[in-house]
Every structure is written in structure tokens, then in C-alpha cells.
Amino acid sequence: MTFVHLDIRCFILICTVFGSTLSSNAEIKVNPPQDFEIVDPGYLGYLYLQWQPSLSLEILKECTVEYELKYRNIDSENWLTIITKNLCYKDGFDLNKGVEAKIHTLLQGQCTNGSTVQSSWSEATYSTSQQGNLETKIRDMDCIYYNWQYLLCSWKLGIGVHFDTDYNLFYWYEGLDHALQCADYIKGNGKNIGCKFPYLESPDYKDFYICVNGSSKSQLIRPSYFILQLQNIVKPSPPDYLSIIVNSEEINLKWSMPAGPIPAKCFIYEIQFTEDDSTWVTTTFENELYTTRTANKSQQLCFLVRNKVNIYCSDDGIWSEWSDKQCWKGDIWKETLLSFLIPFAFVSLFVVLITSLLLYNQKAFLKMVLNTKKEVFSHQETLF
């Protein structure tokens, strides 16, 4: 009986401790962050998501406090998720669409006995003023970063906009204190249809934000927003100083990479090679290529090259224009000799014909003169 009472006491003690642990965990609750908002600092899509801790956290000194933040453009299927201890997070958004975000508090540590306690969600949304019809937005926006040095963007006017409508471009990237307006517009029929950007200080490998809005006394104009990565829209200058060297069966093609700030390791080259009537295309990361002749009797070899930024320096790129064509011609002495002998033969034949004709005419003329003299002498003898 003593052992039975002891077992019952132990069982009651274990249940009491376990029950108190469960009740202590059940009593810990945390509120969501307060003052959660999405703030637009005027950077054309680069937004601040900021919040303050809930007041209930002041008494939970032994807990680790983190925040789980989820955000997206409203029409996106997937949320981006960030877990942070900070009270602010910054990222870029497409302001052509609305933005939504939600956040809750995560508690861990001694106060939760190692488990994780979550608050409910706090939510926020943001959208720009959707003024004007969609048709009033610019069309066919096209931006090219020439030779990784000069950025140029162009666009077409919105559909059915009034004659007094004009557009203005603003841009910002991390490093600028505020958004800047284009200082050198490209004009078409008196309207702004593009922008030549000034020299940009370290704009690559970061989001480059553009807004093109418009003004008209007759109607509201819908603004357009764009986010670029300039290293992905680079169009290099074409290669130059092409050379081709042929040694029996081996062909060496070589060229110089274009001048400018693009490192040599960032190029990929496309070569178009023609041997007589056969053409093939290949690529290489070097500014030199060795290949072999398909036949020793090939009379003409030509190639040209273009380039773009490769996958090691960007996610995408634009091919340059093709270089000038460089050619090699076989049996050049035979060709030169033939090109000389054929015209020489024609000229010689012509000279011989002319000379023969002149000699024939001269001989006929002398014969006529002699016959004339004979007739004169014969006539004189008859008179005497």
C-alpha cells in the first residue's frame, strides 16, 4: 500500500508540474506590431515598410523578439518573406500596381519555454493615384545602356492624347539624395519622346527607378513606372581590328575588344565565318578563335564579329552591331597574274590588229601612188 500511495503522489506531482508549464505557455500572448505603414519617400518605387513594437513586449525581457514580414504587389501570387529584428525594411515595388504587406511578432526564449509564440497579423496597403486613362500612358519604352557608359531611353506618346500633352522623365537610384528630372530630352514634333541621361555615378547592380508622367490642360495623364538593372541592358560597341591568318589547314581569327569601361572578362563574342559558299556561327569568351579549313582549295575566307555582356557580369544583354568584314583570298599570285594577263592579252591583240590594219592601208596607199606615177610616165611617153 505504501508503494501505491507513493506512485500516486509522484503521478500527481508530475501532472501538476506539466499542467503549470502548459498553463504558463498558454498565458503568454503577444500583440502585433503597432503603427505598421508603407511610406513613399519619393524614390519612384523604393518604399519603406516600418512599424513599432507592441507595448506588451516591455514586460517580456527574457524573450527574443523578431518580426515576420510578408509583402508583394497586389496582383502577384507569391509573397516575399523576411524575418528581421529591425523596425524598418526597404525594397522596390512596381508602382503601376498596388502594394500590400502584413507583419506579426515572433517570440522565442525562456519566457516561452523554447517554443515560438506568434501574434496576429497587422496589415497595410499602398497605391499611387491612378489618374488618367490607361491609354494616356507612354508606349514602347525602350532603354539601352550604350557601352556601359551612356543611357538612352525612348518612348511613344499615349494613344489619343491631346495635342498639348507632353511627358517628363524622372529617375532615382541608391546613391542619389532625391529623384532627378531628365535634363536632355529627345524631341519629336516638338514633344519629349526620349531622354539622354548624363554621366551616372555607379548605377549598376542596383535597381534604377524611372517614372514618366505627363501634363495636359485637357486631360489627366497616367504615369508609368519602370525598374531597370542597367548592367542587363548594355549594348557594347562592336569589335574592331579584325585579322585572319591562314596556315595550310589552320585558321587564326583575331580581333580587338572595343574601348570603354567593360572588362575583358565580361564579353562573349559571336563569330560568323564564311568559307567559300559555306557559313557557320559560333561563340567564344576569348577575342581569338582557331579553326580548320574544310578544304585546302578554298579560295575565300571571311568573318565578322559582334559581342555582348556575358552571364558572368549580367543576367542579360544586347548584342552589338556586327563588325566590318575581314577576308582572306587564296592563290593570290595566280589571281593577280590572271588579272594582269587577261587585260594585257586583249590590249596586245588590239594593238596587233590596229598595226596590221595600218600596215595594210599603208601598203595599199603606196601601191596606188606607184600605179598613179606609172600612168603619168606612160602618158608623157605617148606625147613625145
Side-chain angles (χ1 to χ4, degrees):
M1 292 296 294
T2 304
F3 291 106
V4 173
H5 285 295
L6 180 61
D7 290 341
I8 292 173
R9 288 174 186 174
C10 291
F11 178 75
I12 293 172
L13 179 62
I14 292 171
C15 290
T16 303
V17 173
F18 184 71
S20 63
T21 303
L22 289 176
S23 62
S24 63
N25 282 344
E27 290 173 358
I28 296 176
K29 293 183 179 180
V30 62
N31 293 326
Q34 59 185 7
D35 301 328
F36 180 44
E37 61 180 343
I38 302 173
V39 178
D40 185 352
Y43 296 153
L44 313 179
Y46 189 67
L47 303 180
Y48 297 171
L49 291 78
Q50 56 191 36
W51 58 92
Q52 294 297 323
S54 66
L55 297 177
S56 62
L57 293 177
E58 295 180 0
I59 62 173
L60 301 172
K61 302 297 185 181
E62 297 179 347
C63 275
T64 301
V65 180
E66 293 181 322
Y67 302 97
E68 183 179 16
L69 172 67
K70 293 179 177 286
Y71 60 92
R72 64 181 180 180
N73 276 110
I74 287 178
D75 67 342
S76 176
E77 295 183 359
N78 301 319
W79 293 88
L80 293 176
T81 301
I82 298 295
I83 296 179
T84 178
K85 294 181 179 180
N86 299 323
L87 299 176
C88 182
Y89 188 78
K90 305 173 183 178
D91 204 351
F93 296 86
D94 180 2
L95 293 188
N96 296 300
K97 310 162 187 176
V99 177
E100 60 182 346
K102 57 184 181 180
I103 189 170
H104 65 184
T105 307
L106 303 177
L107 282 185
Q108 288 180 333
Q110 294 182 5
C111 65
T112 63
N113 293 319
S115 61
T116 300
V117 176
Q118 302 179 358
S119 74
S120 59
W121 291 99
S122 179
E123 299 181 353
T125 60
Y126 177 79
S127 63
T128 58
S129 174
Q130 298 297 311
Q131 64 178 17
N133 296 325
L134 280 173
E135 291 77 10
T136 62
K137 296 174 62 171
I138 63 166
R139 298 174 293 134
D140 301 337
M141 180 70 157
D142 183 37
C143 294
I144 298 177
Y145 198 24
Y146 287 99
N147 211 33
W148 213 311
Q149 290 177 300
Y150 312 106
L151 178 62
L152 187 147
C153 291
S154 61
W155 59 83
K156 294 179 182 178
L157 305 184
I159 299 173
V161 294
H162 293 140
F163 69 92
D164 67 336
T165 301
D166 207 356
Y167 294 92
N168 298 296
L169 181 145
F170 296 85
Y171 64 96
W172 180 87
Y173 60 91
E174 194 171 355
L176 297 180
D177 295 332
H178 57 274
L180 300 177
Q181 183 177 180
C182 176
D184 187 7
Y185 284 106
I186 301 169
K187 298 284 187 177
N189 296 322
K191 306 295 183 183
N192 296 336
I193 59 169
C195 176
K196 297 178 182 178
F197 290 76
Y199 172 76
L200 301 170
E201 184 72 33
S202 302
D204 9 285
Y205 300 107
K206 59 184 71 171
D207 287 336
F208 191 94
Y209 298 87
I210 292 177
C211 172
V212 181
N213 59 23
S215 60
S216 171
K217 295 179 180 179
S218 308
Q219 62 184 149
L220 295 175
I221 305 299
R222 179 76 64 91
S224 298
Y225 296 91
F226 306 90
I227 304 176
L228 308 175
Q229 288 273 329
L230 297 191
Q231 74 277 1
N232 294 337
I233 56 171
V234 171
K235 182 176 182 178
S237 300
D240 51 13
Y241 300 111
L242 278 65
S243 67
I244 180 169
I245 300 173
V246 180
N247 294 319
S248 62
E249 296 183 357
E250 189 176 65
I251 304 169
N252 174 225
L253 311 176
K254 198 171 183 179
W255 56 91
S256 296
M257 68 178 193
I262 306 177
K265 64 180 181 180
C266 288
F267 282 113
I268 183 173
Y269 301 94
E270 185 175 71
I271 301 95
Q272 185 181 96
F273 181 78
T274 302
E275 184 174 2
D276 292 335
D277 296 329
S278 176
T279 299
W280 51 263
V281 176
T282 189
T283 58
T284 179
F285 290 98
E286 305 295 333
N287 64 326
E288 187 173 19
L289 179 69
Y290 287 91
T291 185
T292 55
R293 298 170 69 177
T294 58
N296 289 333
K297 296 181 180 179
S298 54
Q299 296 300 306
Q300 180 167 285
L301 308 173
C302 294
F303 82 106
L304 28 75
V305 189
R306 63 178 182 173
N307 56 12
K308 74 172 183 176
V309 178
N310 62 38
I311 59 173
Y312 301 107
C313 297
S314 70
D315 295 329
D316 202 355
I318 303 173
W319 284 108
S320 71
E321 301 298 325
W322 286 103
S323 67
D324 294 332
K325 183 185 290 187
Q326 180 70 22
C327 291
W328 172 89
K329 294 183 178 180
D331 296 330
I332 189 168
W333 289 109
K334 183 185 293 184
E335 186 174 328
T336 303
L337 186 62
L338 288 175
S339 64
F340 172 76
L341 288 177
I342 292 174
F344 179 77
F346 277 110
V347 171
S348 300
L349 180 61
F350 179 75
V351 170
V352 169
L353 289 174
I354 294 298
T355 303
S356 300
L357 184 61
L358 289 174
L359 290 175
Y360 175 79
N361 289 338
Q362 184 179 16
K363 185 176 181 180
F365 177 76
L366 290 175
K367 185 176 181 180
M368 183 183 68
V369 170
L370 291 175
N371 289 335
T372 303
K373 285 184 177 181
K374 286 181 179 180
E375 290 178 0
V376 171
F377 288 138
S378 175
H379 182 67
Q380 288 178 354
E381 288 178 357
T382 304
L383 290 176
F384 292 104

